[in-house]
Amino acid sequence: MMDLGGVISHNPVKKDSWKTVLTLAFQSLGVVYGDLSTSPLYVYKSAFAEDIQHSETNEEIYGVLSFVFWTLTLIPLVKYVFIVLRADDNGEGGTFALYSLLCRHARVSSLPNCQLADEELSEYNKDVILSNDKSLTGSRLKSILEKHKFLQKVLLILALIGTCMVIGDGVLTPAISVFSAVSGLELSMSREQHQYVEVPVACAILVFLFALQHYGTHRVGFLFAPVVITWLLCISAIGVYNIFHWNPHVYQALSPYYMYKFLKKTQKGGWMSLGGILLCITGSEAMYADLGHFSQLSIKIAFSFVVYPSLILAYMGQAAYLSKHHTIESNYRIGFYVSVPEKIRWPVLAIAILAAVVGSQAIITGTFSIIKQCSALGCFPKVKIIHTSSKIHGQIYIPGINWTLMFLCLAVTVGFRDTKHLGNAAGLAVITVMLVTTCLMSLVIVLCWHKSIFLAVCFIFFFGSIEALYFSASLIKFLEGAWVPIALSLIFLIVMYVWHYGTLKKYEFDVQNKVSMNWLLSLGPNLGIVRVRGIGLIHTELVSGIPAIFSHFVTNLPAFHQVVVFLCIKSVPVPHVRPEERFLVGRIGPKEYRLYRCIARYGYHDVHKDDLEFEKDLTCSIAEFIRSEGPQGNLGIETIESDEKMTVVGTTSSNLDGVKMCEDDGVSEIVGSSEMREPKCTEKTRKKVRFILPASPQVDLSTQEELQELMDAREAGMAFILGHSYVRAKSGSSLMKKFVINLGYDFLRRNSRGPTYAIGIPCASTLEVGMIYHV
């Protein structure tokens, strides 16, 4: 039971008024830029943690400022704002959006049950840039990717690595943001006292932050943007004060020449300190990942005119202060708060903690979102997803992931207890995601935008070289904290790939063991058993053919329902599927068999709700198929695999000219719990079901009889038949395959959720049939 289709779709930028764009830009400050705006709290402290020393010549501090300025300019501003944001997947962004684009343009999808009919979806080709001069090299690259399964696996693993690093960022960003904000206490107490206060306070804030996730952010979300903009105004004002009060000539350090001087003097130490400097772009990926909630123009305006200048002023102000203070007691005190005027440190500390919480909230919500995408695309086990807001699309909460993130976040905070190790860990996660984006983006330039491969090479060479430099500086800190994101990503990558591999093998087994149509025809219209009133809904992953598990039902059960529907809930590589294109409905076997196939299609960002409307939509879609199949039917019918004809049918709310269904209270009659309108009740009053047909055209007698039979079956109730599969590696398989399938996949399957629509169904209305799969 799910919904169906309640999605807030974004209007194109062209139709947005300036008022709407500016409102979205203001709101994006709280959602997108919370993490990026808090980076001044720890960048200088991480850069000067160990590898370089602050000296009287100021070459180090000027060099760090120059690196920060050009990194912020080239990566977030040039790469993301001007280039990557244009590669949206029907308004959505993120690692999986790029992968989804490539899957559609080069047919390298990891989803096993793709159909040609999916390519007719409105959003499938809406983003294609039409070009008459597609490069020969691009066509060759496309054919190479489509031919070689190995390259497709490499592409999938690359996308999964980026996704895993985003999840790792969801652990590390809250830790370093909150820890750095709380570190302001160090200037008001001795170092001995401070070390016993900082960690407990940071942990208490983190526990509070994760505990609030259950309630959703829509109740306090309106405060996020004011908090972040207050923080940005605060740090930019302090920056301006420090520039004019301490060193008005600090702007000279923005010259790239100071980067050269810095590396020439510090050499290896300067290169290793880049691992701390790259933290200035922490959160930049959020501009692209959260694109679906805003518009390109609003995100560009917010960054270019508010966030970017505020951050530059903040970093220049810190450098100006430090350039005139060389006798600071120790590097322990090189950080943000030392440059804040003493009179306003406490208010700034309070604002910093609030900003850190907002920034952490954004990355946690982003982690929930990307895990939902992975699950929809068959790369993560099914997990419990709670929609915390019925009005705001994308507000979700995943309990198991939330508490896992909290435990890991507290573990790294207590385990490291300093900004240095946390910075090393967070830096590697951030730069790895950016490298993955650069690699995928270079393919998008050729395959989706149909530009020359020369432009793609220039893109990956220019930005890839910068990111590879930072990546190498972060990787060298492996033993000093950088091992954490690698370990976390490796664990999540194994989970994702094992689940994907097991799911793929299970689907291949289903395809190879389909029941033949001749066997079905030999049984006759009654299938060799008694047909009783009601609708039997059989869940299957197959989009064509009859699943082997159906033969188990027919041979082992004395009776079966008069109407049987093979239901497939599938994800397609687009963000959203329009409600009017939700269902593909077809018939299996001759008309008198009353066997139907219904494929419900969802995008990876579509909202699946436990909604009783699903049953109504499903029944109406079958009724509309029966009506349209008549001699005067007017719906387009597409022929796909196995000679089955499938009709595109929308949900009840979207198909205004289609069949409607009314349920009226009839004569009071107590029935069994197969009526599923009240899951908690064992009996209820039966409702009379009526189909309302369009005024024209008229339907023939056989169609009326079939609709009447469907109506009677719906009135009697709907039962859900679920196959309980036990997947085992077949004899002769390698030891690795046996380990992956028999232990890894089996463990994940036992601890994952069943089909979304089956949640909440009373046990009396479900039938589970076990079956062993030897893959």
Side-chain angles (χ1 to χ4, degrees):
M1 305 173 166
M2 48 182 80
D3 145 37
L4 288 122
V7 172
I8 295 178
S9 60
H10 214 319
N11 293 328
V13 174
K14 294 179 182 177
K15 296 183 181 179
D16 288 342
S17 65
W18 276 106
K19 182 179 179 180
T20 304
V21 170
L22 293 177
T23 302
L24 288 173
F26 176 75
Q27 293 173 347
S28 72
L29 291 171
V31 177
V32 178
Y33 297 110
D35 186 14
L36 183 61
S37 65
T38 55
S39 57
L41 287 170
Y42 44 79
V43 169
Y44 281 111
K45 193 169 185 177
S46 298
F48 286 92
E50 185 179 61
D51 303 306
I52 55 177
Q53 303 296 324
H54 184 34
S55 66
E56 296 283 346
T57 63
N58 286 330
E59 288 184 354
E60 293 83 4
I61 193 66
Y62 288 166
V64 170
L65 174 60
S66 186
F67 265 104
V68 167
F69 172 76
W70 286 105
T71 303
L72 274 172
T73 301
L74 294 175
I75 303 299
L77 187 61
V78 177
K79 176 186 169 184
Y80 281 94
V81 169
F82 292 111
I83 302 175
V84 175
L85 285 181
R86 294 181 58 225
D88 65 302
D89 182 11
N90 293 293
E92 300 292 338
T95 303
F96 259 95
L98 287 174
Y99 181 67
S100 175
L101 279 173
L102 294 171
C103 286
R104 300 207 303 275
H105 287 80
R107 297 178 188 264
V108 292
S109 176
S110 61
L111 296 172
N113 53 0
C114 293
Q115 297 170 275
L116 292 176
D118 297 337
E119 298 183 15
E120 301 299 322
L121 289 169
S122 301
E123 292 198 358
Y124 201 93
N125 294 312
K126 192 172 75 176
D127 61 327
V128 175
I129 297 177
L130 297 177
S131 176
N132 295 324
D133 56 339
K134 296 182 181 180
S135 65
L136 180 62
T137 309
S139 300
R140 287 178 178 174
L141 180 60
K142 177 182 175 181
S143 62
I144 289 172
L145 284 174
E146 291 176 346
K147 287 179 182 178
H148 295 83
K149 294 290 184 183
F150 174 75
L151 294 179
Q152 295 176 21
K153 289 182 179 180
V154 170
L155 196 62
L156 174 64
I157 291 175
L158 189 64
L160 292 182
I161 289 174
T163 303
C164 291
M165 283 295 180
V166 170
I167 298 173
D169 202 18
V171 172
L172 298 165
T173 293
I176 190 171
S177 296
V178 173
F179 192 87
S180 299
V182 173
S183 67
L185 297 171
E186 69 189 24
L187 298 179
S188 60
M189 59 183 68
S190 66
R191 184 172 183 177
E192 289 72 21
Q193 294 176 320
H194 174 252
Q195 63 182 350
Y196 294 109
V197 174
E198 187 177 31
V199 174
V201 170
C203 289
I205 294 173
L206 289 170
V207 170
F208 175 75
L209 172 65
F210 283 99
L212 282 181
Q213 299 302 312
H214 175 72
Y215 300 99
T217 59
H218 59 283
R219 294 183 179 88
V220 294
F222 68 94
L223 293 174
F224 287 179
V227 166
V228 173
I229 202 165
T230 301
W231 168 250
L232 288 171
L233 290 174
C234 179
I235 61 175
S236 57
I238 293 171
V240 171
Y241 168 79
N242 283 330
I243 291 170
F244 285 99
H245 188 266
W246 296 110
N247 189 354
H249 299 289
V250 73
Y251 68 88
Q252 296 175 353
L254 302 182
S255 169
Y257 175 68
Y258 283 89
M259 290 192 290
Y260 167 75
K261 290 182 66 177
F262 170 77
L263 291 176
K264 183 179 179 181
K265 180 179 179 180
T266 57
Q267 296 182 358
K268 183 181 178 181
W271 167 63
M272 294 178 69
S273 71
L274 294 178
I277 295 172
L278 76 86
L279 293 175
C280 70
I281 52 176
T282 301
S284 298
E285 186 74 20
M287 284 193 288
Y288 183 50
D290 292 327
L291 183 59
H293 300 293
F294 303 98
S295 65
Q296 288 187 30
L297 186 57
S298 63
I299 289 179
K300 290 177 180 180
I301 288 174
F303 181 78
S304 304
F305 296 101
V306 180
V307 179
Y308 178 73
S310 297
L311 291 176
I312 297 300
L313 288 173
Y315 287 117
M316 288 177 66
Q318 288 186 63
Y321 178 87
L322 293 173
S323 68
K324 299 298 181 182
H325 295 79
H326 306 95
T327 57
I328 299 174
E329 293 179 15
S330 67
N331 289 337
Y332 178 75
R333 298 237 174 154
I334 291 183
F336 173 76
Y337 290 103
V338 73
S339 64
V340 177
E342 193 169 350
K343 292 180 181 180
I344 60 171
R345 275 180 186 164
W346 285 105
V348 170
L349 175 65
I351 298 172
I353 292 175
L354 288 174
V357 168
V358 170
S360 302
Q361 172 62 52
I363 193 68
I364 293 169
T365 303
T367 304
F368 292 158
S369 178
I370 201 164
I371 286 178
K372 177 179 178 294
Q373 291 179 39
C374 292
S375 181
L377 293 175
C379 294
F380 200 86
K382 303 294 183 183
V383 290
K384 181 179 181 181
I385 297 175
I386 298 173
H387 295 270
T388 58
S389 173
S390 59
K391 297 179 180 179
I392 304 175
H393 170 61
Q395 292 287 343
I396 61 173
Y397 167 67
I398 306 178
I401 299 299
N402 183 65
W403 301 122
T404 302
L405 290 179
M406 187 189 79
F407 173 77
L408 294 172
C409 196
L410 292 175
V412 297
T413 304
V414 174
F416 287 149
R417 298 177 179 235
D418 62 27
T419 309
K420 171 189 168 184
H421 289 85
L422 287 172
N424 292 339
L428 184 62
V430 168
I431 201 64
T432 304
V433 175
M434 292 184 175
L435 269 172
V436 170
T437 299
T438 300
C439 294
L440 295 178
M441 188 65 207
S442 62
L443 291 175
V444 168
I445 290 173
V446 177
L447 298 176
C448 306
W449 292 357
H450 307 303
K451 302 296 182 183
S452 70
I453 199 167
F454 175 74
L455 286 177
V457 170
C458 289
F459 178 86
I460 197 171
F461 178 78
F462 183 74
F463 293 107
S465 298
I466 297 171
E467 290 160 358
L469 178 66
Y470 281 117
F471 180 79
S472 63
S474 296
L475 197 60
I476 203 70
K477 304 286 185 69
F478 180 82
L479 298 177
E480 299 173 31
W483 61 270
V484 171
I486 295 177
L488 290 176
S489 298
L490 186 61
I491 294 170
F492 279 104
L493 182 63
I494 291 173
V495 168
M496 289 180 177
Y497 198 78
V498 166
W499 180 261
H500 174 72
Y501 178 77
T503 303
L504 196 61
K505 290 297 178 184
K506 180 175 174 293
Y507 183 80
E508 290 174 356
F509 179 88
D510 281 334
V511 171
Q512 293 168 3
N513 292 273
K514 288 190 294 188
V515 177
S516 69
M517 186 60 68
N518 291 333
W519 173 84
L520 181 69
L521 295 175
S522 67
L523 296 177
N526 288 329
L527 303 179
I529 55 178
V530 179
R531 302 290 289 271
V532 297
R533 289 183 68 195
I535 298 177
L537 201 62
I538 301 175
H539 177 259
T540 176
E541 299 294 333
L542 292 177
V543 293
S544 65
I546 304 170
I549 203 166
F550 181 65
S551 63
H552 288 250
F553 300 149
V554 174
T555 55
N556 292 294
L557 296 177
F560 213 72
H561 300 85
Q562 68 185 108
V563 175
V564 177
V565 180
F566 294 94
L567 176 64
C568 174
I569 306 291
K570 62 175 288 188
S571 294
V572 290
V574 295
H576 306 291
V577 175
R578 294 182 178 181
E580 57 267 27
E581 300 173 320
R582 178 73 67 209
F583 295 106
L584 277 176
V585 185
R587 188 187 300 280
I588 298 177
K591 195 171 186 177
E592 59 270 18
Y593 280 56
R594 302 298 191 253
L595 300 179
Y596 305 95
R597 181 184 312 284
C598 185
I599 301 171
R601 302 180 291 182
Y602 289 88
Y604 57 80
H605 264 313
D606 274 336
V607 179
H608 294 236
K609 295 180 180 178
D610 296 337
D611 195 335
L612 292 175
E613 286 297 310
F614 180 66
E615 294 179 21
K616 186 176 180 180
D617 283 339
L618 182 65
T619 307
C620 285
S621 68
I622 297 172
E624 178 64 20
F625 164 74
I626 294 170
R627 185 187 71 86
S628 67
E629 194 186 31
Q632 298 177 346
N634 56 6
L635 284 186
I637 295 180
E638 302 173 13
T639 302
I640 57 172
E641 300 91 330
S642 301
D643 296 325
E644 292 179 23
K645 294 182 178 180
M646 306 293 286
T647 301
V648 178
V649 182
T651 58
T652 306
S653 60
S654 66
N655 193 7
L656 300 178
D657 297 327
V659 177
K660 304 294 181 185
M661 186 176 78
C662 290
E663 293 179 308
D664 303 322
D665 292 331
V667 180
S668 296
E669 179 180 353
I670 306 300
V671 297
S673 58
S674 62
E675 178 68 37
M676 293 178 301
R677 292 296 179 180
E678 296 288 342
K680 296 183 180 179
C681 300
T682 57
E683 57 184 24
K684 69 169 288 183
T685 303
R686 173 180 292 172
K687 290 186 176 182
K688 296 295 182 182
V689 176
R690 292 185 295 115
F691 285 136
I692 302 175
L693 301 180
S696 61
Q698 297 296 321
V699 295
D700 58 17
L701 183 61
S702 64
T703 301
Q704 290 182 21
E705 291 176 353
E706 190 171 2
L707 286 172
Q708 181 64 46
E709 192 169 337
L710 177 64
M711 187 167 61
D712 294 341
R714 178 66 186 92
E715 192 174 290
M718 187 179 289
F720 292 76
I721 297 97
L722 305 175
H724 196 72
S725 58
Y726 297 89
V727 183
R728 293 289 181 270
K730 58 187 176 183
S731 58
S733 300
S734 65
L735 186 63
M736 176 61 72
K737 184 176 180 179
K738 289 180 179 178
F739 179 81
V740 168
I741 296 295
N742 297 351
L743 295 178
Y745 180 74
D746 186 63
F747 173 80
L748 294 176
R749 183 194 58 80
R750 290 176 184 273
N751 290 278
S752 66
R753 305 268 285 181
T756 311
Y757 66 86
I759 296 170
I761 298 171
C763 295
S765 298
T766 62
L767 174 65
E768 286 199 34
V769 178
M771 185 173 180
I772 298 178
Y773 286 62
H774 293 284
V775 299

